[in-house]
Amino acid sequence: MKKFKVLVLTVVAVLALSSCGTTQTVPLTGRTHRISVSDEQVLSLSNQEYTKYMASAKKSTNAANTAMVQRVGKRLANAVELYLKQNGFEADVKNYSWEFNLVQDKSANAFCMPGGKIVVYEGLLPYTQNETGLAIVLGHEIAHAVAKHSAEQLTKQQNQQTGTSILGTVLNQTVGNGVGNVASAVAGQYFSFRNLKYSRDNETEADYMGLIFAAMAGYDPQQAIPFWKRMSQG
């Protein structure tokens, strides 16, 4: 009975972790979520990972394409910052130190780390084909940063790590046979902003926000349709 009570109390403590942090509102959508990591913590981790990545990445030697990525990125960034300042999110603007890089990689991909560190792979450009297509992609990636999806996922993983660590200890004490070691091992996954797997809700939110950001910057959001058709065919 005593072991059962300890297990119940531990489960309650683990569930309580999900209520920790501060409630924040996502721009444009109005969705609220709880974040238990500070902007400073997220930006510090992001900058470390970005610096490490760029140290090994090879920047594109195509001057015209590099200039296009920087031009589209800056245009979107200006539109996003203007929106944030005009709609009660001016405090978030200080978190962005925008950088736009085109790198030599055949993958059709791009990413934006917290803080506005944007990387586009050369392999994406045959699918975007023009500035508007590129704006559709970058609007989506920037939306992940503005909505703080990385901090949201980091919070979830942090809670899971703490929860599985506590639960693992208790399982070993109550059940024995090293059962808790399996639970603790789940918490040992490496967190990467660059390869982060967002939830489907996060992706849908970024799609919606990204199209609006593209429109704010003067690009036609309807061009998302032919772009995604090209991506699906590729």
Side-chain angles (χ1 to χ4, degrees), residues 93-116:
V93 174
K94 71 179 188 303
N95 294 328
Y96 299 105
S97 179
W98 302 98
E99 288 187 32
F100 311 94
N101 286 292
L102 179 64
V103 300
Q104 298 179 40
D105 193 308
K106 295 181 180 180
S107 303
N109 199 14
F111 63 84
C112 176
M113 288 189 177

Short mmCIF file of all heavy atoms in Angstrom, two decimals, residues 93-116:
data_model
loop_
_atom_site.label_atom_id
_atom_site.label_comp_id
_atom_site.label_asym_id
_atom_site.label_seq_id
_atom_site.Cartn_x
_atom_site.Cartn_y
_atom_site.Cartn_z
N VAL A 93 10.21 41.63 -30.36
CA VAL A 93 11.07 42.05 -31.48
C VAL A 93 12.54 41.99 -31.09
O VAL A 93 13.40 41.67 -31.91
CB VAL A 93 10.68 43.47 -31.94
CG1 VAL A 93 11.66 43.96 -33.01
CG2 VAL A 93 9.26 43.46 -32.51
N LYS A 94 12.84 42.28 -29.82
CA LYS A 94 14.24 42.29 -29.38
C LYS A 94 14.88 40.90 -29.47
O LYS A 94 16.12 40.78 -29.42
CB LYS A 94 14.34 42.79 -27.94
CG LYS A 94 13.79 41.83 -26.89
CD LYS A 94 13.95 42.38 -25.49
CE LYS A 94 13.58 41.35 -24.43
NZ LYS A 94 12.20 40.82 -24.58
N ASN A 95 14.07 39.87 -29.58
CA ASN A 95 14.61 38.51 -29.64
C ASN A 95 15.18 38.14 -31.01
O ASN A 95 15.83 37.10 -31.14
CB ASN A 95 13.51 37.49 -29.30
CG ASN A 95 13.04 37.60 -27.86
OD1 ASN A 95 13.80 37.95 -26.97
ND2 ASN A 95 11.76 37.30 -27.63
N TYR A 96 14.92 38.98 -32.01
CA TYR A 96 15.32 38.63 -33.37
C TYR A 96 16.59 39.35 -33.81
O TYR A 96 16.71 40.57 -33.70
CB TYR A 96 14.19 38.92 -34.34
CG TYR A 96 12.94 38.14 -34.02
CD1 TYR A 96 11.84 38.75 -33.43
CD2 TYR A 96 12.88 36.77 -34.26
CE1 TYR A 96 10.71 38.02 -33.10
CE2 TYR A 96 11.76 36.03 -33.93
CZ TYR A 96 10.68 36.66 -33.34
OH TYR A 96 9.57 35.93 -33.00
N SER A 97 17.52 38.56 -34.29
CA SER A 97 18.74 39.07 -34.91
C SER A 97 18.86 38.31 -36.23
O SER A 97 19.52 37.28 -36.33
CB SER A 97 19.96 38.81 -34.02
OG SER A 97 21.14 39.29 -34.62
N TRP A 98 18.20 38.84 -37.25
CA TRP A 98 17.98 38.10 -38.49
C TRP A 98 19.27 37.84 -39.26
O TRP A 98 20.11 38.72 -39.42
CB TRP A 98 17.01 38.87 -39.38
CG TRP A 98 15.69 39.13 -38.72
CD1 TRP A 98 15.31 40.30 -38.10
CD2 TRP A 98 14.59 38.24 -38.61
NE1 TRP A 98 14.02 40.17 -37.62
CE2 TRP A 98 13.55 38.92 -37.91
CE3 TRP A 98 14.35 36.93 -39.03
CZ2 TRP A 98 12.33 38.34 -37.63
CZ3 TRP A 98 13.12 36.35 -38.75
CH2 TRP A 98 12.13 37.05 -38.06
N GLU A 99 19.39 36.62 -39.75
CA GLU A 99 20.46 36.23 -40.67
C GLU A 99 19.86 35.31 -41.73
O GLU A 99 19.01 34.47 -41.42
CB GLU A 99 21.59 35.50 -39.93
CG GLU A 99 22.43 36.40 -39.05
CD GLU A 99 23.64 35.67 -38.47
OE1 GLU A 99 24.16 34.75 -39.15
OE2 GLU A 99 24.05 35.98 -37.35
N PHE A 100 20.33 35.48 -42.97
CA PHE A 100 19.79 34.69 -44.08
C PHE A 100 20.94 34.10 -44.88
O PHE A 100 21.76 34.84 -45.42
CB PHE A 100 18.92 35.58 -44.98
CG PHE A 100 17.91 36.40 -44.21
CD1 PHE A 100 18.20 37.69 -43.82
CD2 PHE A 100 16.69 35.86 -43.85
CE1 PHE A 100 17.29 38.45 -43.10
CE2 PHE A 100 15.77 36.61 -43.14
CZ PHE A 100 16.06 37.90 -42.76
N ASN A 101 21.00 32.78 -44.93
CA ASN A 101 22.09 32.10 -45.60
C ASN A 101 21.57 31.06 -46.58
O ASN A 101 20.61 30.34 -46.28
CB ASN A 101 23.00 31.40 -44.58
CG ASN A 101 23.88 32.39 -43.84
OD1 ASN A 101 24.78 33.00 -44.41
ND2 ASN A 101 23.62 32.56 -42.55
N LEU A 102 22.22 30.98 -47.73
CA LEU A 102 21.96 29.92 -48.70
C LEU A 102 23.17 29.00 -48.66
O LEU A 102 24.32 29.46 -48.82
CB LEU A 102 21.79 30.51 -50.10
CG LEU A 102 21.54 29.52 -51.24
CD1 LEU A 102 20.21 28.79 -51.05
CD2 LEU A 102 21.57 30.23 -52.60
N VAL A 103 22.93 27.71 -48.43
CA VAL A 103 24.05 26.77 -48.29
C VAL A 103 24.00 25.69 -49.36
O VAL A 103 22.95 25.42 -49.95
CB VAL A 103 24.05 26.10 -46.89
CG1 VAL A 103 24.17 27.15 -45.80
CG2 VAL A 103 22.80 25.26 -46.69
N GLN A 104 25.16 25.10 -49.59
CA GLN A 104 25.29 24.04 -50.60
C GLN A 104 24.79 22.72 -50.02
O GLN A 104 25.50 22.04 -49.30
CB GLN A 104 26.75 23.90 -51.03
CG GLN A 104 27.32 25.15 -51.69
CD GLN A 104 28.77 24.99 -52.09
OE1 GLN A 104 29.18 23.94 -52.57
NE2 GLN A 104 29.55 26.05 -51.89
N ASP A 105 23.57 22.40 -50.36
CA ASP A 105 22.96 21.15 -49.93
C ASP A 105 21.85 20.83 -50.92
O ASP A 105 21.02 21.69 -51.23
CB ASP A 105 22.39 21.28 -48.51
CG ASP A 105 22.03 19.93 -47.90
OD1 ASP A 105 21.29 19.17 -48.55
OD2 ASP A 105 22.46 19.64 -46.77
N LYS A 106 21.82 19.60 -51.41
CA LYS A 106 20.85 19.23 -52.44
C LYS A 106 19.46 18.94 -51.88
O LYS A 106 18.51 18.75 -52.65
CB LYS A 106 21.35 18.01 -53.21
CG LYS A 106 22.62 18.28 -54.01
CD LYS A 106 23.06 17.05 -54.78
CE LYS A 106 24.33 17.33 -55.59
NZ LYS A 106 24.77 16.13 -56.35
N SER A 107 19.32 18.93 -50.58
CA SER A 107 18.01 18.67 -49.97
C SER A 107 17.06 19.84 -50.23
O SER A 107 17.48 21.00 -50.23
CB SER A 107 18.15 18.46 -48.46
OG SER A 107 19.04 17.40 -48.18
N ALA A 108 15.80 19.53 -50.43
CA ALA A 108 14.78 20.57 -50.62
C ALA A 108 14.28 20.98 -49.24
O ALA A 108 13.24 20.50 -48.78
CB ALA A 108 13.64 20.06 -51.49
N ASN A 109 15.01 21.86 -48.60
CA ASN A 109 14.70 22.16 -47.21
C ASN A 109 15.14 23.57 -46.84
O ASN A 109 15.93 24.21 -47.54
CB ASN A 109 15.40 21.14 -46.29
CG ASN A 109 14.78 21.09 -44.90
OD1 ASN A 109 13.69 21.61 -44.67
ND2 ASN A 109 15.48 20.48 -43.97
N ALA A 110 14.60 24.04 -45.72
CA ALA A 110 14.99 25.32 -45.14
C ALA A 110 14.61 25.27 -43.67
O ALA A 110 13.77 24.47 -43.26
CB ALA A 110 14.28 26.48 -45.84
N PHE A 111 15.23 26.10 -42.86
CA PHE A 111 14.85 26.17 -41.45
C PHE A 111 15.12 27.56 -40.90
O PHE A 111 15.95 28.30 -41.43
CB PHE A 111 15.57 25.10 -40.61
CG PHE A 111 17.08 25.22 -40.56
CD1 PHE A 111 17.69 26.08 -39.64
CD2 PHE A 111 17.88 24.48 -41.40
CE1 PHE A 111 19.07 26.17 -39.57
CE2 PHE A 111 19.26 24.57 -41.35
CZ PHE A 111 19.86 25.42 -40.43
N CYS A 112 14.37 27.89 -39.87
CA CYS A 112 14.55 29.16 -39.15
C CYS A 112 14.64 28.83 -37.68
O CYS A 112 13.69 28.33 -37.09
CB CYS A 112 13.39 30.12 -39.42
SG CYS A 112 13.50 31.67 -38.47
N MET A 113 15.79 29.10 -37.08
CA MET A 113 15.95 28.84 -35.66
C MET A 113 15.39 30.01 -34.84
O MET A 113 15.20 31.12 -35.36
CB MET A 113 17.44 28.66 -35.33
CG MET A 113 18.02 27.36 -35.82
SD MET A 113 19.69 27.10 -35.18
CE MET A 113 20.05 25.48 -35.83
N PRO A 114 15.09 29.78 -33.58
CA PRO A 114 14.67 30.89 -32.72
C PRO A 114 15.68 32.03 -32.80
O PRO A 114 16.89 31.79 -32.83
CB PRO A 114 14.67 30.25 -31.32
CG PRO A 114 14.42 28.81 -31.57
CD PRO A 114 15.13 28.49 -32.85
N GLY A 115 15.20 33.24 -32.90
CA GLY A 115 16.09 34.39 -33.03
C GLY A 115 16.25 34.84 -34.46
O GLY A 115 16.89 35.84 -34.74
N GLY A 116 15.64 34.09 -35.42
CA GLY A 116 15.65 34.54 -36.80
C GLY A 116 16.86 34.12 -37.61
O GLY A 116 17.22 34.80 -38.58
#
